[in-house]
Amino acid sequence: MPLPGPDARDMLSFHTGKDGSVVYELTAAIPTQAQPVMSDAALTFVAELHRRFDATRRSLLAARTIRQDALDAGTLPVFLSETARVRSDTWTVSPPPHDLADRRCEITGPCDRKMMINALNSGARVFMADLEDSMSPTWENVTVAQANLYDAVRRDLELTDHRGKHYTLDETVATLMVRPRGWHLTERHMMVDGAPVSASLFDFGLTFFNNAAHLIETGSGPYFYLPKLESHREARLWNDVFIFAQDELGIAQGTIKATVLIETVLAAFEMDEILYELREHSVGLNAGRWDYIFSAIKKFRNRPDSVFPDRGDIGMTVPFMHAYTELLIATCHRRGAHAMGGMSAFIPSRRDEEINTRAFAKVREDKEREATAGHDGTWVAHPDLVGIATEIFDSVLGSRPNQIDRQRDDVHVTPDDLLNFEVPGGVVTERGVRMNVDVAIRYLASWLTGNGAAAIYNLMEDAATAEISRSQLWQWAKHRATLTDGRTVTRDLVRSLADEELENIRAEVGDDMFASGRFAQAAQLLDTVALAQEFPEFLTLPAYELLDSEYVH
C-alpha cells in the first residue's frame, strides 16, 4: 500500500491544528495494517464532518425518541401531510452510473480480506462491503476494514491463508458499494471536542477520502448503502454530508451514489420523500427485510394488539411485509430508481445435501417472487447462491439491465396495509423461544469475540436477526404471551430456558471453547437486552461497551 501515513503503533494521538487547538484525539493505537489509511489528512476530514453535522445527527436521534413516545401513546404513523406535494409531483432521481445500471444480484458481507476476495470474484454484479450489521466494531476491525477497502479499490487485495492457499482478485469483479454504520452509533476510539465521533461519519469519511478519486479515475465512483434511516430528514442529513464532502475534495456534485435500506417501519411511510432528499445522489431503495421485522416489533413493542408470533412464521407474504415491498417497488419505479430485493442468508452445507436441496428450493421461490413482483435485483450472503439468483433474474430481465420501466400502477398501499401485523397461522411456541435464545447467545458470543457475521444453523446471522430474537423475547415476556402448550411466557421462563440452552452450548463446544468464546457473557448480555424493564433501542449499544481489544481477530 503506497499511501504514506503516521507510525502510531505505540502511541495514542492528539493531533493539533496550526493554532495549537486539538483537531482530534485517538484513544487507541492504530493497528499496523491500517496505519497507511489512517492518515492525519483523512482523520482531519472525519473530524470536520463530525463538527459540521453531529449536532444535527443528535437532534434527529432525539426526534426518534419523540416519535416512539407518540407511538406508545397510540398515535399511528401516516403518510405526511406536509410532504404531500413531494408524493404527488412528477420528478425522478438521477440516472444510475453505468456500473450500477445492472444490479440483478448483489452479494453482501463484512470487510474480511478473504470474504471480500470471494465476494468480488463471485459473479455478482455488486458487492456491498459491510461496515455495519455483519461487522463487530472492534477498533482493529473498523480500521483494518478501511485498509482492505483501500486495497480492493486498487485491485491489490490478496491473501495467503494458513494452508498456503493464495487468493487474488479476478480480472472482472463486482462493483463495490460500502455500508457505513447507522446514525445511532459512535466510534469511541476517535474523539472530537471531547465527544466520540459519529460512526457513520467515521466510516463514510475514511472510505470517501481515501478512495473516491481513485474510483472515479478507474471509471467507477464512491457508492454507498445507507442503513436504518427512520425519516426523510435523516436522508437529508446524508445528502448534506455528500454535498460537503464532494465540495471539500473537489469532486463533482452527484458523483456519490447511495441506496437507502428501507428497514424501519417509519421509513416505509416516507419512501418518496427519502428518494427526493437524495435525488441527485440516489440509486434506489432496498427492502431490508430482517431489520424491518425487528423495527416492527420494536416500534410497536408496547402495544398488546401487536404481539408477533415465532420468527419462522413471519415470511415475506404476510400482509405488512407484502405491502411494504409492493410499495417500495411502485415508488422506486415511479421515480426512476432501483427497487432492490432482500437478503437470502442461507449458507450451503458441505456435508448435508438434503439441507441444501430444501434450502435452495426456498431460495428459488423467494427470488422468483421478487423478480416477478418487479424488483430489479436481490441480495445473497454466499457465493454459491449467486448463480441461482442471477439465473432467476435473467429469466425476467433478459438482456435488460433492470425493469425500472415496469410501472406498478396496480399498487395502492394504505397506512392500514403497512400496519396490518396479522400473521395467518402464526403462533408462539417453546421451540420459538428456545430458538431465539439459542441463536441470540451464539450470535452475541461471536460478536463479542470480534466476528459480526456468524454462520449458525446454515444461515449467515448478523445483528438484525439477533435483534429480532431478543425483541421477540422482550415483547413476549412483557405481554405474557401464551405458548401453544398453554404456558405463559414470563421473564422467569425465558431465563430458565436460557440456562438450559447455555448448558447445551457448553456440552456441544466443550469447556475450553465455552470460556474463550464468551458464551456466558453473551447470555448475560441477552438478559440485559431481552428482559430489562426498559427496552434498549439497539443491542449493539450495550454490547459495544463489552468489546475488548484482546478478542479482536
Side-chain angles (χ1 to χ4, degrees):
M1 227 187 302
L3 184 70
D7 185 350
R9 282 171 290 187
D10 303 315
M11 65 178 181
L12 306 187
S13 304
F14 289 85
H15 289 260
T16 57
K18 293 180 180 178
D19 62 355
S21 63
V22 175
V23 178
Y24 62 86
E25 174 191 356
L26 297 184
T27 64
I30 301 172
T32 302
Q33 185 181 339
Q35 288 168 27
V37 296
M38 301 287 287
S39 66
D40 181 56
L43 292 170
T44 298
F45 178 71
V46 172
E48 182 62 22
L49 290 174
H50 179 83
R51 285 197 172 95
R52 286 178 176 268
F53 299 108
D54 193 57
T56 303
R57 178 187 74 90
R58 286 185 280 107
S59 70
L60 290 169
L61 294 178
R64 289 184 181 182
T65 301
I66 294 171
R67 294 184 83 182
Q68 182 64 55
D69 291 342
L71 288 176
D72 291 342
T75 302
L76 297 178
V78 295
F79 298 122
L80 301 177
S81 59
E82 61 265 34
T83 57
R85 185 167 180 175
V86 171
R87 294 193 300 278
S88 63
D89 279 359
T90 56
W91 52 268
T92 58
V93 304
S94 61
H98 72 93
D99 54 345
L100 284 182
D102 187 334
R103 303 169 63 184
R104 65 189 68 199
C105 180
E106 300 186 345
I107 189 168
T108 74
C111 292
D112 170 88
R113 212 164 178 85
K114 179 180 174 182
M115 288 186 181
M116 289 180 71
I117 294 170
N118 288 338
L120 287 163
N121 291 344
S122 68
R125 298 302 202 277
V126 170
F127 166 51
M128 188 203 78
D130 190 19
L131 302 174
E132 198 226 8
D133 269 3
S134 68
M135 183 186 73
S136 173
T138 63
W139 180 235
E140 183 166 331
N141 282 353
V142 300
T143 56
V144 171
Q146 291 293 334
N148 292 342
L149 287 169
Y150 184 94
D151 285 349
V153 165
R154 289 155 181 80
R155 308 297 296 272
D156 291 332
L157 194 67
E158 56 183 279
L159 172 72
T160 301
D161 67 15
H162 65 283
R163 300 167 299 177
K165 185 174 180 179
H166 192 62
Y167 296 83
T168 59
L169 294 177
D170 294 340
E171 185 68 25
T172 300
V173 297
T175 298
L176 180 68
M177 299 186 77
V178 177
R179 177 165 70 170
R181 284 170 283 178
W183 283 132
H184 61 289
L185 297 169
T186 59
E187 177 48 67
R188 67 184 179 196
H189 299 94
M190 182 177 178
M191 306 289 288
V192 174
D193 301 330
V197 301
S198 159
S200 301
L201 298 178
F202 180 89
D203 295 341
F204 164 78
L206 287 174
T207 302
F208 183 75
F209 185 90
N210 286 324
N211 301 303
H214 190 87
L215 284 163
I216 295 165
E217 288 171 5
T218 54
S220 187
Y223 306 147
F224 296 90
Y225 258 99
L226 306 180
K228 294 183 175 56
L229 301 190
E230 295 194 11
S231 74
H232 69 282
R233 290 182 175 86
E234 295 181 15
R236 182 184 301 163
L237 176 57
W238 269 118
N239 200 65
D240 290 344
V241 170
F242 293 164
I243 291 170
F244 171 79
Q246 289 166 141
D247 277 348
E248 192 75 357
L249 269 63
I251 290 172
Q253 290 298 325
T255 301
I256 294 174
K257 298 298 179 184
T259 298
V260 172
L261 288 137
I262 301 298
E263 51 188 358
T264 67
V265 169
L266 298 181
F269 286 83
E270 302 183 33
M271 287 193 268
D272 270 307
E273 293 89 336
I274 288 169
L275 287 172
Y276 182 80
E277 294 293 345
L278 286 158
R279 58 195 181 278
E280 188 179 18
H281 299 108
S282 178
V283 279
L285 305 176
N286 175 289
R289 59 178 69 174
W290 306 119
D291 267 301
Y292 195 82
I293 294 170
F294 162 56
S295 174
I297 298 168
K298 177 171 77 169
K299 291 300 180 184
F300 295 90
R301 64 186 181 268
N302 291 312
R303 296 174 62 93
D305 59 347
S306 300
V307 177
F308 288 78
D310 286 1
R311 165 182 157 184
D313 292 335
I314 309 173
M316 294 304 296
T317 59
V318 303
F320 80 103
M321 297 297 286
H322 177 71
Y324 117 88
T325 53
E326 291 282 282
L327 181 59
L328 186 147
I329 295 167
T331 302
C332 286
H333 287 185
R334 186 168 64 253
R335 305 306 182 186
H338 286 95
M340 301 303 297
M343 166 72 80
S344 176
F346 176 65
I347 301 173
S349 171
R350 302 305 181 194
R351 294 173 294 184
D352 193 329
E353 280 305 314
E354 185 177 344
I355 288 177
N356 291 343
T357 299
R358 291 196 303 268
F360 281 138
K362 290 182 179 179
V363 171
R364 182 172 292 277
E365 179 184 9
D366 180 48
K367 301 312 174 190
E368 286 175 347
R369 176 191 54 76
E370 289 183 326
T372 302
H375 283 288
D376 301 291
T378 192
W379 272 15
V380 298
H382 194 278
D384 286 358
L385 299 183
V386 170
I388 295 175
T390 301
E391 171 201 330
I392 290 166
F393 274 83
D394 284 348
S395 68
V396 172
L397 298 178
S399 60
R400 295 177 298 158
N402 53 63
Q403 51 184 332
I404 292 174
D405 60 348
R406 182 183 169 193
Q407 300 295 295
R408 289 295 310 273
D409 296 330
D410 57 308
V411 173
H412 303 284
V413 173
T414 68
D416 286 343
D417 295 327
L418 292 172
L419 300 175
N420 181 359
F421 297 137
E422 179 185 358
V423 178
V427 293
V428 183
T429 67
E430 178 185 326
R431 183 177 183 277
V433 176
R434 286 186 180 275
M435 180 61 72
N436 280 343
V437 167
D438 179 48
V439 169
I441 291 174
R442 290 175 189 269
Y443 179 76
L444 289 172
S446 176
W447 197 91
L448 290 172
T449 53
N451 177 23
I456 303 173
Y457 304 127
N458 292 106
L459 292 175
M460 182 59 75
E461 303 283 9
D462 65 11
T465 45
E467 290 281 28
I468 295 173
S469 295
R470 68 95 181 187
S471 61
Q472 286 203 306
L473 294 172
W474 191 95
Q475 189 186 49
W476 291 340
K478 176 180 175 61
H479 297 293
R480 299 178 65 83
T482 302
L483 298 177
T484 51
D485 62 15
R487 285 180 295 163
T488 299
V489 179
T490 63
R491 288 181 173 86
D492 287 342
L493 176 63
V494 173
R495 288 187 174 112
S496 175
L497 296 178
D499 288 342
E500 293 177 15
E501 292 303 317
L502 188 61
E503 286 307 308
N504 290 339
I505 292 171
R506 183 198 297 270
E508 174 189 327
V509 303
D511 289 341
D512 290 344
M513 179 65 73
F514 184 83
S516 64
R518 303 180 77 178
F519 290 101
Q521 189 177 31
Q524 292 171 356
L525 176 59
L526 176 62
D527 193 281
T528 298
V529 298
L531 298 177
Q533 290 294 326
E534 295 297 323
F535 184 85
E537 279 293 294
F538 293 94
L539 66 80
T540 46
L541 294 175
Y544 188 44
E545 300 305 314
L546 300 176
L547 281 180
D548 299 319
S549 60
E550 65 184 287
Y551 291 102
V552 180
H553 299 296

